Amino acid sequence: MTSLGLEERYSRQILFHGVGAEGQHKLAASHVAVVGCGATGSALASLLARAGVGNLRIVDRDYVEPSNLQRQSLFSEADAAESLPKAIAAARQIATFNSQIVVEPHVADLTPENVETLLQGTQLILDGTDNFETRYLINDFAVSCSLPWVYAAAVGSYGVTMNVLPRKTACLACMFPDLPQGTFTTCETAGILNSAVSLIASIAATEALKLITGAEDCVRRTLLSFDVWRNERAELATDKPRTDCRACGQRDFVHLAGKGRPHITLCGRNSVQIHERQRPVDLAEMSQRLQAHGAVRHNDFVLKFWHEPYEMTLFPDGRAIIKGTSDTAVARSLYARYVGS
Ligand SMILES: [Zn+2]
């Protein structure tokens, strides 16, 4: 199977007039980043990997949990049982259906400090994130170096997407100079239908194909939203960048210069993330040490420690997620007690 020729593997896509043999070669030579590999990111990465995007970079800091499996199509029960980082699990799964492309997983949060390193060398950025902070960061980076990117988001039964072509269309900051209303509705509060994710990821992935194969005249220039439950659809024109836009008009890239995320953040209900410590942790050694205090399990990527009523997930870079509390002081003291200050 590994020696499958381009013509054979992608024959049905090459037959499609919009792609053709030339488009397929452009896909094979392309470098695309998917930032965030949850539901939308999984669907985007899966579609683009199958379509033959030659170099796919996947950036995600989270690990697979059982509640992800309902919609995050690249992950298995085994990944959740192992608490594998999503970027790693995604790369492994993609290798089972397309071993001929290069997938570069990065277990990381996209921050102002690493955005350049993580996204340099890509020609297109796809949004699989779940928050506006990271989207504004992607927007500032993309606009500052004139890279196209595709905004995509889904929550409940609703999905929304928009293509940003710097200098040619509105950017995210043109459309939403400030955090949009309802930003705080998340999958954790409103739930999510996997079909809303699939729909919006399919539309975004198709726009990516157009951008890569050079069909820019077919690229949509609207902010498009769907509600798959109410059967509603809306579109807002995005064909004109705003001259007074902070990002693309005034070229004031506050999010690139930003300090990034605070060191301690609430992540979801009853859970706190600590990412202040920059020292690496030896998970095997830590596992030995924690055995006296509760149940502990680790692999190369992650350590899980249970100490009733808390559950701590620790990463090799020292980052931790503590479940069982929404009190950052409690989380910080637990961290200091078991990992170190
Ligand atoms: Zn703008």
Side-chain angles (χ1 to χ4, degrees), residues 218-233:
C218 297
V219 168
R220 203 188 63 257
R221 282 161 166 81
T222 64
L223 175 82
L224 171 65
S225 64
F226 270 102
D227 188 316
V228 293
W229 199 259
R230 296 156 160 279
N231 294 308
E232 288 171 355
R233 175 187 195 281

Side-chain angles (χ1 to χ4, degrees), residues 138-162:
I138 295 173
N139 187 68
D140 273 9
F141 178 79
V143 170
S144 75
C145 29
S146 274
L147 279 180
W149 76 281
V150 182
Y151 159 56
V155 65
S157 55
Y158 175 83
V160 57
T161 180
M162 161 183 166

Side-chain angles (χ1 to χ4, degrees), residues 77-270:
E77 291 180 359
D79 298 332
E82 270 192 79
S83 299
L84 272 190
K86 290 181 181 178
I88 305 288
R92 288 185 182 177
Q93 179 60 26
I94 289 170
T96 67
F97 61 78
N98 196 346
S99 58
Q100 291 177 301
I101 61 168
V102 177
V103 180
E104 232 185 89
H106 292 271
V107 183
D109 236 342
L110 194 76
T111 65
E113 290 79 23
N114 66 17
V115 62
E116 203 172 330
T117 317
L118 287 175
L119 298 183
Q120 71 181 354
T122 59
Q123 69 196 74
L124 171 65
I125 304 162
L126 300 178
D127 171 19
T129 70
D130 59 0
N131 66 86
F132 254 83
E133 264 169 75
T134 314
R135 292 189 178 111
Y136 281 128
L137 176 61
I138 295 173
N139 187 68
D140 273 9
F141 178 79
V143 170
S144 75
C145 29
S146 274
L147 279 180
W149 76 281
V150 182
Y151 159 56
V155 65
S157 55
Y158 175 83
V160 57
T161 180
M162 161 183 166
N163 306 310
V164 177
L165 311 180
R167 296 175 199 279
K168 296 173 187 162
T169 71
C171 78
L172 191 69
C174 287
M175 301 304 285
F176 306 107
D178 303 304
L179 272 186
Q181 292 292 311
T183 303
F184 302 106
T185 309
T186 68
C187 302
E188 296 234 358
T189 56
I192 185 161
L193 293 182
N194 56 17
S195 51
V197 170
S198 275
L199 175 69
I200 229 63
S202 293
I203 294 168
T206 312
E207 296 302 301
L209 290 191
K210 296 178 198 174
L211 286 165
I212 298 166
T213 57
E216 204 181 293
D217 52 327
C218 297
V219 168
R220 203 188 63 257
R221 282 161 166 81
T222 64
L223 175 82
L224 171 65
S225 64
F226 270 102
D227 188 316
V228 293
W229 199 259
R230 296 156 160 279
N231 294 308
E232 288 171 355
R233 175 187 195 281
E235 273 186 281
L236 263 178
T238 58
D239 52 353
K240 286 192 185 66
R242 284 176 38 168
T243 46
D244 62 343
C245 171
R246 170 193 56 77
C248 66
Q250 299 163 8
R251 304 193 70 77
D252 175 13
F253 303 118
V254 286
H255 295 276
L256 279 184
K259 293 184 297 292
R261 298 160 67 92
H263 289 321
I264 294 196
T265 45
L266 290 173
C267 58
R269 244 179 320 198
N270 215 23

Side-chain angles (χ1 to χ4, degrees), residues 308-332:
E308 283 295 322
Y310 309 108
E311 177 190 307
M312 179 170 72
T313 306
L314 183 66
F315 299 89
D317 63 0
R319 186 166 55 85
I321 294 169
I322 293 163
K323 286 188 182 171
T325 182
S326 52
D327 184 334
T328 52
V330 168
R332 190 194 279 267

Side-chain angles (χ1 to χ4, degrees), residues 264 274 322 327-340:
I264 294 196
I274 297 185
I322 293 163
D327 184 334
T328 52
V330 168
R332 190 194 279 267
S333 92
L334 268 169
Y335 185 91
R337 183 153 137 219
Y338 293 114
V339 184

